[in-house]
Amino acid sequence: MKSIDILYKPLIAQIPDINITEGNTLAITCNVVSNPDPTLIWWTRQNEPGFIFNNTNLTISNIHRNVSDSYTCHAMNILTPSGMSQQIRTSQNMFEVNVQYEPLIAPIPDYNITEGNTLTLTCNVVGNPNPTLIWWTRQNETGFRFNYRNLKISNIHRNDSDTYTCHAMNILSPSGLSSQRRTSQKMFDVNVQYRPSVHIEPSYNPYILYEGQQNIELSCVIDDANPAVDITYNWTDLSAPISGKFLNITTVLRSVSGQYSCSAMNLIGTSDIIRKQLDVQYQPEISDIEDYNITEGNKLIIFPIIDANPQPILFWWSRQNEPEVGYNSTYLKISNIQRKSGGYHTFLVRNILTPSGMPSQERTSKKMFHVNVQYQPVISEIQDHNVTEGNDLKIYPVIDANPQPSLLWWTSQNEPDFIYYGSNLTITNIQRNSSGNYTCHVMNILTPSGMSPQNRTSKKMLYVNVQYQSIIAEINDIDITEGSSLAIYPVINANPQFTSVWWSRQSEPDFRYYNTNFTISNIQRKSSGSYIFNAMNILTPSGMPPQKRTSQKMCYVNVQYKPVLSGSPDYTIEEGSTLTLSPTIDANPSPTSIWWTRENDTSFIYNEISLIIKNIQQIDSGSYIVHVMNTLTPSGLPETNMTSQKVYNINVMLLTGPISQDTSDTSDNYVITGAGVGAGVIFIFVVVIGVVIFILRKRQINRRNENSNKSVYESTPKGQGKLPNREMHLYNDLGNVEAGEWSIYLEYLYIFV
């Protein structure tokens, strides 16, 4: 058997194109059949001539995109046909190795762009396969998405500064595997550069300061700038521009008020000029207000000049003595000014400072000035003045005048020549004739501002009432006939008029008769006596408590009446006895004549008070009549003789025993007895005359000493009874004159005897 060995060059099995993901391992086996077997198998890469990989299997670990290429598997064997020389035979099979990888974005550098320009950027992306989608995002704006290879932002703004990202996506389809989405991104910063924007700190605008505030600093503060380096600052709108970030004011003066501007500059440009208004506030300043003289009744207007920032919220005019009463206005206006508006006035102005960043501050200024309201003197009502006679009159008028009076004097209406210069009217030991109207005169000189002096005079009248206690004119003693009507009309002079009058009786402390005129109808003898008229008035001297003053005047009322005889009318006596009849006589005035008569015996007359019949005989029995006469002398009327008589019945009884003596003895005895009786009668007569003279003289001295009279009896409505001593009149004063004459006659008779 013959073996035939057919030699052939290598036959390489078809190698399909391969897609492989970058980073993976490429492992390809070159399946070769040949005869003889290949002596060499190697791999080459089209685009890299130097690449030779000797191995049946091509293995590339962590394959990279750069090795994507056309690969060729080479196989070589050597044919040595029989009888022939060796022949090198080579076969090759090319295939594509496509290394797929996610998109690769070319680096995008950070980008500086001036605000307002247009930003245009291209996202350079390589990838295998090519990206199916390219888009842009921004880091700080999640909603931002721009689907395009080129990023374009027109009129870019500083807010567009951000970190931008370019995103690219492709779909890998590695051989034998499912498709894979792959995304890549590239981040970069877009820096939008712009000129500075500034503001002034403090941020208040206007920036309100107050005068005197210390160490104020204005700062030009960058709000935003890109770049924020190499910035220069400048303050303008000042008298001289200042460079620097800060503007310092050591002490704030009102001249600092104004507008201040600052700007900043960087490489991009200069900021807008920022202006701040500085407003220096200060408390009100009031110009001087001069003191002012003005006449009462005129109009006062004062316009003060006020400098204040801010404008005042309160204008207040007040008067020093009345701080609670005010007037709210920018000027003071008083129409028809009165004196009460005079004095120190205060003008108060208040504003409220509102310095920025500080609490409000009330600031008040005030200015005091004097308003002198001049007016003519005003004399306060001078009360009519009561003064007690004999005291000193002092009247102190209250005078309101501005300016003070330059002259003050007093006149009297009743005395045209009376003038008294002095602020106080003084009259020493004033008398009632000084009563009357007095006038106080006052003059001052007004000097209103800007006008000539003016004399002004005022006057006030008052009545001076000189009071004195009641003066009662002398009341004469009164003689009046019993049964008449008594009327006494006293004359009273009093100032003021008496408030009370009454009559009292000296002998009766409880007796009161309240009337000016004292009257008694059908007066009786018991009403005789001393009567006192009392008049009381009340002095009310000004400034003193009331003073009761009482005056008295006494008069004697002598009730005259004709004689009244009393005593038993019937007498029985024994013959030879002595009959003595002494009638009880009540008469006022005392009897001027007393005599006895005998009934039916016209020759009998006996002129004695007592009827004495010695050795009375039976023939002497009978009716004896005593006659008593007095003379009534009622005041203002003619004398009237009044006579009364009383009959005494005498019954002489005979003796019952024998007669012891004869007629002759009796006769002798009668003679002797008669002589003795005659001498006795003479002696008794002399003694009686002496006693009578003594009594009459004593009555002239003690005219009203009624108690010296002996008690007598008289008939009264209640019957016979003893009267008080002062009512017992046997001889009263009305008979004094006649009694005096009798006493003279009796003295002559006494001397003669």
Side-chain angles (χ1 to χ4, degrees), residues 65 110 157 170 233 270 274 416 475 574 576 582 603 642 688 711:
R65 69 194 68 178
D110 293 337
H157 190 266
N170 61 0
Y233 300 88
T270 302
I274 300 302
I475 304 176
E574 290 182 351
S582 297
S603 61
M642 303 294 290
V688 169
S711 298

Side-chain angles (χ1 to χ4, degrees), residues 385-598:
H385 203 82
N386 294 334
V387 61
T388 303
E389 187 175 39
N391 288 350
D392 294 340
L393 171 67
K394 291 185 179 181
I395 297 178
Y396 300 88
V398 178
I399 300 171
D400 184 12
N402 187 19
Q404 287 300 307
S406 58
L407 183 62
L408 192 149
W409 71 99
W410 300 79
T411 59
S412 173
Q413 189 177 28
N414 298 335
E415 299 180 51
D417 296 334
F418 176 89
I419 187 166
Y420 180 88
Y421 291 98
S423 58
N424 303 322
L425 176 61
T426 301
I427 300 177
T428 304
N429 189 24
I430 194 167
Q431 299 301 310
R432 65 193 68 179
N433 57 3
S434 295
S435 292
N437 290 315
Y438 289 79
T439 302
C440 177
H441 305 264
V442 184
M443 184 185 79
N444 67 349
I445 301 173
L446 307 188
T447 57
S449 298
M451 301 177 66
S452 58
Q454 305 168 8
N455 290 336
R456 297 294 178 86
T457 303
S458 296
K459 60 183 179 179
K460 185 69 70 174
M461 181 181 290
L462 76 150
Y463 185 81
V464 174
N465 182 25
V466 181
Q467 295 184 339
Y468 46 89
Q469 74 180 64
S470 302
I471 298 175
I472 307 171
E474 191 69 30
I475 304 176
N476 295 323
D477 293 340
I478 297 176
D479 293 329
I480 187 170
T481 303
E482 186 176 38
S484 300
S485 295
L486 173 67
I488 303 175
Y489 300 94
V491 177
I492 308 169
N493 182 14
N495 185 20
Q497 287 298 310
F498 50 84
T499 58
S500 178
V501 293
W502 71 96
W503 293 81
S504 60
R505 190 170 178 182
Q506 192 173 29
S507 59
E508 293 184 44
D510 296 334
F511 178 84
R512 287 291 185 274
Y513 182 85
Y514 293 97
N515 203 326
T516 304
N517 301 323
F518 185 63
T519 59
I520 301 177
S521 300
N522 189 23
I523 193 167
Q524 299 299 311
R525 65 198 67 181
K526 65 181 180 179
S527 296
S528 291
S530 294
Y531 289 83
I532 302 170
F533 177 61
N534 302 270
M536 184 186 75
N537 64 349
I538 300 176
L539 306 188
T540 56
S542 298
M544 299 178 65
Q547 304 171 9
K548 290 183 178 181
R549 296 294 177 86
T550 303
S551 296
Q552 296 179 333
K553 192 64 73 173
M554 181 183 289
C555 69
Y556 188 84
V557 175
N558 183 25
V559 180
Q560 297 181 345
Y561 47 89
K562 70 178 183 177
V564 175
L565 303 173
S566 60
S568 176
D570 297 323
Y571 285 88
T572 299
I573 187 170
E574 290 182 351
E575 188 179 37
S577 299
T578 299
L579 172 66
T580 301
L581 292 179
S582 297
T584 300
I585 305 171
D586 180 13
N588 187 21
S590 298
T592 57
S593 298
I594 301 176
W595 70 96
W596 294 80
T597 61
R598 184 174 179 181

Side-chain angles (χ1 to χ4, degrees), residues 65-83:
R65 69 194 68 178
N66 292 336
V67 298
S68 288
D69 208 342
S70 294
Y71 285 79
T72 301
C73 178
H74 300 269
M76 180 187 77
N77 62 357
I78 300 173
L79 299 182
T80 57
S82 300

Side-chain angles (χ1 to χ4, degrees), residues 53-65:
F53 186 83
N54 295 310
N55 200 324
T56 302
N57 297 321
L58 176 61
T59 302
I60 302 176
S61 299
N62 190 21
I63 195 167
H64 190 267
R65 69 194 68 178

Side-chain angles (χ1 to χ4, degrees), residues 244-449:
K245 181 176 181 180
F246 300 103
L247 176 63
N248 293 311
I249 302 172
T250 303
T251 301
V252 175
L253 303 175
R254 65 188 68 179
S255 59
V256 171
S257 291
Q259 192 175 72
Y260 293 76
S261 302
C262 85
S263 61
M265 183 177 69
N266 63 1
L267 296 175
I268 302 302
T270 302
S271 68
D272 293 335
I273 296 175
I274 300 302
R275 292 178 173 82
K276 181 180 289 292
Q277 181 69 33
L278 263 63
D279 186 8
V280 179
Q281 295 183 342
Y282 46 91
Q283 74 180 55
E285 288 185 357
I286 309 169
S287 62
D288 284 338
I289 304 176
E290 294 182 354
D291 294 339
Y292 200 83
N293 290 341
I294 186 170
T295 303
E296 186 176 40
N298 288 352
K299 180 188 295 184
L300 172 67
I301 300 180
I302 297 177
F303 292 93
I305 299 174
I306 305 166
D307 182 16
N309 184 27
Q311 287 301 307
I313 60 168
L314 176 65
F315 303 90
W316 193 254
W317 300 84
S318 63
R319 200 161 62 242
Q320 187 176 27
N321 295 332
E322 300 180 40
E324 70 281 357
V325 179
Y327 177 76
N328 188 4
S329 177
T330 56
Y331 61 93
L332 176 62
K333 179 180 179 181
I334 303 177
S335 300
N336 188 23
I337 193 168
Q338 299 300 310
R339 65 200 66 182
K340 66 180 180 180
S341 298
Y344 283 97
H345 288 247
T346 299
F347 178 49
L348 180 146
V349 181
R350 178 178 297 157
N351 65 353
I352 299 178
L353 307 188
T354 56
S356 300
M358 300 176 66
S360 299
Q361 306 173 14
E362 281 191 357
R363 295 294 176 88
T364 302
S365 296
K366 59 184 177 180
K367 189 71 68 174
M368 183 178 287
F369 60 98
H370 189 265
V371 174
N372 184 23
V373 181
Q374 296 184 339
Y375 46 89
Q376 72 181 60
V378 176
I379 307 171
S380 296
E381 191 67 32
I382 306 178
Q383 299 294 329
D384 293 340
H385 203 82
N386 294 334
V387 61
T388 303
E389 187 175 39
N391 288 350
D392 294 340
L393 171 67
K394 291 185 179 181
I395 297 178
Y396 300 88
V398 178
I399 300 171
D400 184 12
N402 187 19
Q404 287 300 307
S406 58
L407 183 62
L408 192 149
W409 71 99
W410 300 79
T411 59
S412 173
Q413 189 177 28
N414 298 335
E415 299 180 51
D417 296 334
F418 176 89
I419 187 166
Y420 180 88
Y421 291 98
S423 58
N424 303 322
L425 176 61
T426 301
I427 300 177
T428 304
N429 189 24
I430 194 167
Q431 299 301 310
R432 65 193 68 179
N433 57 3
S434 295
S435 292
N437 290 315
Y438 289 79
T439 302
C440 177
H441 305 264
V442 184
M443 184 185 79
N444 67 349
I445 301 173
L446 307 188
T447 57
S449 298

